[in-house]
Amino acid sequence: MTQHPYNPGRLLFGGDYNPEQWSRDVWVEDIALMRRAAVNTVSLGIFSWALLEPREGEYDVTWLDDIIALLHEAGIGFFLATPTASPPPWFTRAYPDALPVRADGTKLSHGSRDTYAISAPAYRDASRRIARFLADRYGSHPGLRGWHVHNEYGTIDYGPHAAEAFRRWLRRKYDSLDALNAAWVTAFWSQHYDEWNDVLPPRATQYLHNPAQAVDFKRFNSDEMLEAYLEQKAEITASGSTAPVTTNFMLPTWNHLEQWSWSDAQDAVSIDHYLDDPGIDGETHVAYCGDLTRSWAGGPWLLMEQNAIGIRMGDRTSLKEPDQTIRNSLGYIARGSQSSLFFQWRASAGGSEFWHGALVPHAGEASRAFEAVVELGGILESISEVVEPPTDGRTFEADVAILWDAEGWWSTETPHLPNDALSYSDEVRATHRSLWRAGISVDFVRAGDDLSRYRLVIIPSMFAMSEADAAWLTSYVRAGGQVVVQFFSGIADMNQRVITGGYPGVLRELLGVRAEEIRPLPDGETLELGEEHYSELWSERVQLDGATSVVDYREGALAGLPAITRNDVGAGAATYLSTRLTQRSRDRFYARLCVDLGIEPVVSGAADLGLEAVRRRGAAADYLFLLHHGSERVTVSGEGVDLVTGASATGLSLEPGGVAVIRESSREWMLAAENPSGE
Ligand code: GAL
């Protein structure tokens, strides 16, 4: 895991700032308000290409110079974006071939944003040029906190440039058409290729796509966008700018990037995170995003955007209460974020996202939303010492690791699986949620990582696995590790070809089982298992081949047959879940397993009181973040100081919705629900 010890020296607070839509008197007011709220960082220029380069090769940076000077004078730093996520109308007029084409052949027009064909040479050249221009001009500005290359890479093009670039990528990968034909099993359905030029992106076609082609196209897109990012990064470096370079990932709605390799190519890893639930499950989502990004980064990271007061979900905006804004921000920071940045500073009065929440709402500063922003700014200043990482760089301790595999996601998006309702991200998320509910800290790992520090490693639906992946897991188990493999893992090789002879392919030996049938369940149907567990979506007819059954199916065609098995291997054990446990059963299963393995929550009993307890390790001390999502006042007793209030942590009273960040003098904590009547 590459380490990115990104340390800006203080917690960064602020967000995307799009001053070009406002007059200068509003800028002056903005800066006064930023100072009031202790905002110290904004991101500029994210979608400003048309203003920065109004005609090809002609630049106009008067407004940018002006706003940067105002910000700098006020002590506010900035990330500067390269604006390549939104090519201007003149660009598409001059290079219509650089517009993206959808899978169904529709060529998009400009008029929104993110309308680029990533492989179009004109687009790549123009992107390099504007990146170099900005880097030459601003690369050594003392207020520059870092480079924000592009924005959320992810427009997928199926047009002629993509087709050519895809073929180039495939030639590098397979060398010969024979190898491609074999890997994609093109003998089926008369797909055999005898000309490279016949090979296409998975465009709209009559019926099912070739699954290996579909996954290769995903891999290609991640690599292609990475190359485009690296070209811009090279221009920035060549300009002599030494400011860290990042590009903001996007979760959770789509996933076009293989984040591990992308993280290796950045100086700081950053992410935009938008809640997928306005209620308590949104809190688990903050934790999920934070754990993922910290793991990709191998250390501290940047929250580049989060939703301010409104949460846009589907066709409406639901309100995010001010206390939730504060809790969410601390949730990310607890998990290693060096920032709490938002989209966006001031709510737009017009334009495409004018109903999106912002730090300064339409109502202006006289609003409880802005009051919460001021409060958050104050809290971040008082806890800012947490940014200093410990000397070993490890801001976080976890005994449990979950495998994250972007390809697992991509594979489950190919159609015609045994159950197309299976979603990789839901699967990973559900497991992470169970551990969150038990108060257990989690890291994510990639195949091949050193697992020796973990006591439990969980593999959720990693459909395609190599022999090397299986050997990696086996040696961990032999050495004393505990692995839980969830269904639909190890089924196929890296070309999406099923490993025949029984599921789960390369993991059969490690798990000591052989499954001969996958039996998907209809939507909404559950199966009763032993130990009062229930499952859904998926089941398998499993034969024991060395393993023992821990839990059997209790009903249906598989009644009496193993559902959950365990195989002792060397000094460790490998458990197989052949079915999808419902969330409640999954919660119980992992809570019990952690107890059996002696894996402790961060603070025992916290989760039962509705408290999220997260420990962030720092240079001067360790910090216990307590985020109260429950409904009863809680008394906290232990040794330390709450940096939010300055109060001693002995007898600290935490209101529902409240937060504490305790500089710990010891790790012994007692929590108790307070009885308001004092009885
Ligand atoms: C992000 C994007 C921002 C803004 C925001 C609104 O994905 O980077 O520019 O559009 O969504 O939710």
Side-chain angles (χ1 to χ4, degrees), residues 105-434:
T106 309
K107 185 172 181 163
L108 301 185
S109 312
H110 66 250
S112 180
R113 64 171 184 188
D114 297 304
T115 324
Y116 53 85
I118 192 76
S119 309
Y123 171 72
R124 296 279 276 270
D125 289 348
S127 299
R128 275 197 299 265
R129 278 198 308 271
I130 185 98
R132 182 55 181 264
F133 170 79
L134 292 169
D136 283 342
R137 187 167 182 97
Y138 300 103
S140 52
H141 194 288
L144 180 64
R145 297 214 189 275
W147 290 100
H148 176 302
V149 171
H150 199 87
N151 191 69
E152 299 177 343
Y153 276 98
T155 298
I156 305 299
D157 173 38
Y158 293 80
H161 290 301
E164 262 183 55
F166 184 38
R167 286 192 284 266
R168 277 197 300 277
W169 185 93
L170 290 168
R171 275 174 186 265
R172 278 200 301 275
K173 175 168 180 181
Y174 292 110
D175 200 31
S176 72
L177 265 184
D178 284 350
L180 178 143
N181 278 313
W184 288 10
V185 195
T186 57
F188 196 62
W189 279 6
S190 185
Q191 291 175 352
H192 181 89
Y193 295 102
D194 64 354
E195 276 279 348
W196 275 104
N197 280 346
D198 293 338
V199 182
L200 297 172
R203 292 179 180 157
T205 188
Q206 199 278 339
Y207 185 39
L208 302 174
H209 282 120
N210 181 307
Q213 175 195 16
V215 172
D216 266 348
F217 189 62
K218 301 262 190 195
R219 293 170 173 147
F220 151 74
N221 272 302
S222 177
D223 288 355
E224 182 74 1
M225 291 188 271
L226 181 58
E227 216 173 286
Y229 158 80
L230 285 170
E231 285 167 8
Q232 292 199 35
K233 186 172 188 240
E235 294 294 339
I236 291 167
T237 311
S239 77
S241 177
T242 53
V245 181
T246 186
T247 182
N248 45 345
F249 290 152
M250 170 64 176
L251 270 183
T253 33
W254 39 257
N255 180 32
H256 298 300
L257 310 181
E258 196 292 297
Q259 293 89 355
W260 297 108
S261 52
W262 276 76
S263 297
D264 291 345
Q266 298 180 63
D267 300 323
V269 175
S270 63
I271 192 156
D272 300 344
H273 183 241
Y274 289 86
L275 293 185
D276 66 355
D277 189 298
I280 184 70
D281 210 42
E283 310 291 347
T284 72
H285 207 221
V286 168
Y288 175 62
C289 164
D291 286 338
L292 268 172
T293 318
R294 184 196 61 254
S295 304
W296 293 329
W301 53 281
L302 281 167
L303 179 73
M304 196 57 93
E305 290 177 25
Q306 62 171 315
N307 19 17
I309 303 306
I311 306 178
R312 186 74 189 174
M313 252 168 267
D315 61 356
R316 66 206 60 193
T317 302
S318 86
L319 196 83
K320 187 170 174 181
E321 294 294 339
D323 64 324
Q324 192 186 0
T325 301
I326 293 172
R327 278 200 314 285
N328 286 174
S329 291
L330 295 194
Y332 299 111
I333 292 168
R335 293 179 162 78
S337 175
Q338 303 290 54
S339 63
S340 177
L341 301 172
F342 290 79
F343 178 84
Q344 63 175 328
W345 164 253
R346 184 184 278 278
S348 304
S352 304
E353 291 191 308
F354 65 144
W355 289 106
H356 200 287
L359 295 178
V360 182
H362 286 148
E365 61 182 291
S367 56
R368 66 187 193 116
F370 189 68
E371 271 167 35
V373 171
V374 175
E375 187 185 347
L376 175 59
I379 293 176
L380 297 182
E381 291 224 310
S382 45
I383 67 165
S384 208
E385 66 182 69
V386 306
V387 287
E388 297 295 332
T391 39
D392 63 7
R394 301 205 63 80
T395 46
F396 204 74
E397 289 167 351
D399 289 332
V400 179
I402 301 178
L403 185 86
W404 171 264
D405 175 47
E407 296 206 356
W409 182 319
W410 299 339
S411 306
T412 51
E413 279 180 350
T414 63
H416 223 58
L417 299 176
N419 189 344
D420 287 337
L422 170 64
S423 145
Y424 177 79
S425 60
D426 286 357
E427 199 48 32
V428 180
R429 175 91 194 278
T431 297
H432 183 273
R433 187 186 284 115
S434 290

Side-chain angles (χ1 to χ4, degrees), residues 349-576:
S352 304
E353 291 191 308
F354 65 144
W355 289 106
H356 200 287
L359 295 178
V360 182
H362 286 148
E365 61 182 291
S367 56
R368 66 187 193 116
F370 189 68
E371 271 167 35
V373 171
V374 175
E375 187 185 347
L376 175 59
I379 293 176
L380 297 182
E381 291 224 310
S382 45
I383 67 165
S384 208
E385 66 182 69
V386 306
V387 287
E388 297 295 332
T391 39
D392 63 7
R394 301 205 63 80
T395 46
F396 204 74
E397 289 167 351
D399 289 332
V400 179
I402 301 178
L403 185 86
W404 171 264
D405 175 47
E407 296 206 356
W409 182 319
W410 299 339
S411 306
T412 51
E413 279 180 350
T414 63
H416 223 58
L417 299 176
N419 189 344
D420 287 337
L422 170 64
S423 145
Y424 177 79
S425 60
D426 286 357
E427 199 48 32
V428 180
R429 175 91 194 278
T431 297
H432 183 273
R433 187 186 284 115
S434 290
L435 292 153
W436 184 91
R437 288 179 176 172
I440 307 277
S441 304
V442 172
D443 275 342
F444 286 91
V445 290
R446 67 173 140 182
D449 274 354
D450 175 9
L451 299 177
S452 55
R453 82 170 73 94
Y454 300 109
R455 296 161 76 179
L456 171 64
V457 173
I458 303 168
I459 312 293
S461 302
M462 188 179 174
F463 171 68
M465 280 181 95
S466 65
E467 297 277 352
D469 295 337
W472 162 71
L473 276 183
T474 305
S475 63
Y476 167 69
V477 176
R478 278 196 192 292
Q482 297 282 330
V483 163
V484 175
V485 174
Q486 295 178 188
F487 67 96
F488 210 45
S489 297
I491 298 274
D493 67 15
M494 303 313 282
N495 291 322
Q496 320 292 302
R497 257 186 330 215
V498 169
I499 297 157
T500 53
Y503 315 118
V506 288
L507 295 179
R508 279 204 307 263
E509 195 178 328
L510 171 63
L511 295 171
V513 297
R514 178 176 174 275
E516 59 174 278
E517 274 171 15
I518 293 171
R519 304 176 65 93
L521 302 178
D523 281 353
E525 193 172 307
T526 52
L527 272 186
E528 189 186 348
L529 315 177
E531 297 189 5
E532 292 173 47
H533 285 311
Y534 288 85
S535 72
E536 60 197 356
L537 210 80
W538 195 276
S539 63
E540 290 175 12
R541 181 180 292 274
V542 172
Q543 295 161 12
L544 301 175
D545 188 10
T548 47
S549 179
V550 182
V551 172
D552 286 347
Y553 290 98
R554 278 277 161 86
E555 59 178 340
L558 301 177
L561 294 176
I564 304 179
T565 63
R566 176 189 158 109
N567 197 26
D568 293 321
V569 178
T575 296
Y576 185 49

